[in-house]
Amino acid sequence: DSEYAGIEERELYESARTALDSNLYATAIERLEALDTRFPFGPHAEQAQLELIYAYYENDKWEEARAAASRFIRLHPEHPQVDYAYYLRGLAAWQAGRFSLERLRLIDISKRDLGATRDAYNDFRELIQRYPDSEYVADAQQRIIYLREILARHELHVADYYLRRGAYVAAVKRGRWVIENYPATNATHDALATMAEGYKGLGMRDRVQEVLEVLRENAPDHEQLIGGEFRPKYL
């Protein structure tokens, strides 16, 4: 901070804005952090904190962006742009989750960490619930649809892992979780098939038939229904 020690708040803020406008995000971060440290209650403080979130995000510093957004939300819950902080917090988690999925796609799905993906899902949901009229809601809703599919598919991959190992109760629970928590996804039909196979493995014939009736009614062309008969994957 000594580099900026003699600079007044307005000048420091304007130099940070210039760096932002020039896409010099690392420089902007330095100046905004210095401003936040030296003038935490100055007239530019709140705007600088918002722009710091954005600068972290643009500089691929996802965790720093999320931490700064959470801090802003905590300190300024009534700020007119607090919805923007929620949105950027979700976007940062979205990016972190996207890159973790790319890096780990070849690893056993049951060991995959979807923490950032869940964070993004929860952040966008909170934005929509708290600020339904926000200009960021439409984009958040589209991202939630995609995230819901990823999270539902993840649960089903884990359920498959359990089916392969004969852990039928755990597989049924995962299938039910998808249906109850992600009902508007393309994964619900596969979740029904997972539950049917789990119940079949447990010898619970009545439950198998109950679930298959729902599957036949809603997805008669499902890949595990051959001529109306159920074909388990692993049994």
Side-chain angles (χ1 to χ4, degrees):
D1 292 347
S2 56
E3 180 183 347
Y4 306 106
I7 303 177
E8 292 301 314
E9 181 188 10
R10 182 179 180 80
E11 184 183 350
L12 186 53
Y13 175 73
E14 287 177 354
S15 69
R17 280 291 328 168
T18 299
L20 271 182
D21 292 342
S22 304
N23 300 333
L24 300 173
Y25 299 115
T27 302
I29 287 168
E30 283 184 12
R31 293 171 182 174
L32 289 166
E33 285 179 341
L35 195 151
D36 190 41
T37 300
R38 293 186 58 221
F39 306 102
F41 305 109
H44 298 290
E46 292 179 12
Q47 191 61 32
Q49 288 168 15
L50 268 180
E51 285 165 3
L52 184 57
I53 303 167
Y54 174 73
Y56 283 139
Y57 174 78
E58 288 292 345
N59 206 34
D60 299 348
K61 294 181 176 292
W62 319 128
E63 288 304 316
E64 289 88 340
R66 285 183 54 72
S70 294
R71 174 178 174 242
F72 186 89
I73 290 164
R74 187 178 69 253
L75 292 176
H76 314 291
E78 304 301 324
H79 192 279
Q81 288 180 277
V82 72
D83 60 327
Y84 179 62
Y86 278 100
Y87 179 61
L88 278 180
R89 187 169 72 173
L91 280 184
W94 166 280
Q95 292 286 35
R98 184 166 68 85
F99 288 118
S100 71
L101 282 174
E102 287 172 2
R103 282 201 307 273
L104 300 175
R105 65 173 172 261
L106 298 178
I107 293 178
D108 187 322
I109 190 74
S110 66
K111 298 176 183 175
R112 198 178 282 181
D113 178 16
L114 289 187
T117 303
R118 288 194 184 89
D119 286 343
Y121 180 75
N122 291 330
D123 288 340
F124 289 135
R125 282 186 68 191
E126 189 170 4
L127 166 65
I128 290 165
Q129 288 166 358
R130 287 179 180 271
Y131 306 99
D133 299 325
S134 168
E135 64 184 289
Y136 308 109
V137 160
D139 184 65
Q141 286 172 329
Q142 289 303 307
R143 291 176 189 272
I144 276 179
I145 291 169
Y146 173 76
L147 291 166
R148 193 183 288 134
E149 291 289 344
I150 288 180
L151 294 169
R153 285 287 156 202
H154 171 73
E155 293 295 328
L156 290 181
H157 281 301
V158 176
D160 272 1
Y161 175 89
Y162 288 135
L163 286 175
R164 289 197 304 272
R165 284 154 181 75
Y168 301 120
V169 172
V172 167
K173 284 182 178 178
R174 292 283 179 164
R176 186 183 297 118
W177 172 267
V178 169
I179 291 166
E180 291 175 353
N181 291 277
Y182 307 116
T185 63
N186 296 319
T188 52
H189 299 152
D190 289 341
L192 288 166
T194 294
M195 291 178 67
E197 187 159 350
Y199 283 133
K200 189 175 178 67
L202 292 167
M204 301 174 69
R205 294 180 183 177
D206 289 347
R207 300 310 298 272
V208 173
Q209 292 310 311
E210 285 175 15
V211 173
L212 287 180
E213 279 180 27
V214 179
L215 181 60
R216 290 189 186 104
E217 183 178 334
N218 290 278
D221 297 325
H222 191 273
E223 62 181 14
Q224 286 182 254
L225 291 176
I226 312 296
E229 293 301 312
F230 180 63
R231 300 291 173 88
K233 286 183 183 180
Y234 305 110
L235 290 174

